[in-house]
Amino acid sequence: ARGLLGGPDETPTVVTTNHASGSMETETVVLAGTHSGRTSAAPLRSDICILHVQMKPGSIWTHEIPATHETAVLYMRQGSVVIGDISSSSNNNSDNDKEEEKPSRVPSHFTAYLKPFGTRLTVRGEKDGADFLLLTGKPLREPVSAQGSMVMNTPDEINVCYADYQRGMMGLPWDHNLSDEDWRRHVEQYPSMYRFEDN
């Protein structure tokens, strides 16, 4: 597993291996939510899951999506995958079900918006392997207002966020080439005034 900011207790990594060779097949970093019984320590205000997955060519990866997660998005960073359980056939002969279960290819730099259809997501890495982000969540069913990088419920809340950002209340931007230790020092020197509070 790679060294991650916060360590393996905050951002656990789930590795699957090839039983015959012992080599890594898939690696899943749990950034938020739960995968294969491992849960991120990231404090959440809503029911979401964010996973960073890397796959070797031809490997199979599965994830159990909670039934309440009506939204699921897969962004393919590198490589390509086929989504869908290609090994099983439906007992229901309806044309709609056959269309839903048909495997779909997701190439590099594409975003796949997944339809709710069962709770098990099955992904197969193609010949170039795969590196993707999976984001799933329960809908908030709240109004949405977005402008630039800010997303809130109302335009007035957006204006407050931009004013807070300009006053440095969200911390100050940092050089993305900083080491973990330099980043920690920067955050301590320029903290965000926003704090997570469990309601």
Side-chain angles (χ1 to χ4, degrees), residues 2 11 21 46 60 76 81 92 117-118 141 146 156 164 173:
R2 293 172 278 151
T11 51
S21 68
S46 58
I60 303 290
M76 185 60 54
V81 296
N92 185 337
F117 188 76
R141 307 208 194 286
D156 287 342
D164 288 350

Side-chain angles (χ1 to χ4, degrees), residues 25-148:
E25 290 284 307
T26 69
E27 179 181 86
T28 306
V29 178
V30 184
L31 299 169
T34 300
H35 173 71
S36 292
R38 301 291 308 275
T39 301
S40 168
L44 303 176
R45 288 201 177 264
S46 58
D47 186 7
I48 65 168
C49 185
I50 303 173
L51 306 174
H52 177 205
V53 181
Q54 293 181 312
M55 302 176 66
K56 296 289 186 187
S59 62
I60 303 290
W61 180 83
T62 60
H63 177 66
E64 294 296 329
I65 299 175
T68 57
H69 288 204
E70 296 175 27
T71 302
V73 177
L74 186 147
Y75 173 69
M76 185 60 54
R77 294 165 32 105
Q78 295 178 343
S80 57
V81 296
V82 173
I83 297 175
D85 187 355
I86 59 174
S87 63
S88 68
S89 60
S90 174
N91 292 331
N92 185 337
N93 292 327
S94 108
D95 290 338
N96 289 339
D97 287 342
K98 286 181 182 177
E99 183 178 324
E100 293 287 349
E101 290 183 1
K102 181 179 177 187
S104 299
R105 183 175 183 272
V106 183
S108 186
H109 304 295
F110 273 66
T111 301
Y113 297 90
L114 309 178
K115 295 179 182 178
F117 188 76
T119 57
R120 175 169 287 214
L121 174 64
T122 302
V123 177
R124 179 175 43 84
E126 292 204 302
K127 65 181 179 194
D128 45 357
D131 181 334
F132 63 87
L133 291 174
L134 177 69
L135 301 94
T136 71
K138 179 180 177 179
L140 296 177
R141 307 208 194 286
E142 295 179 2
V144 175
S145 181
Q147 180 182 340

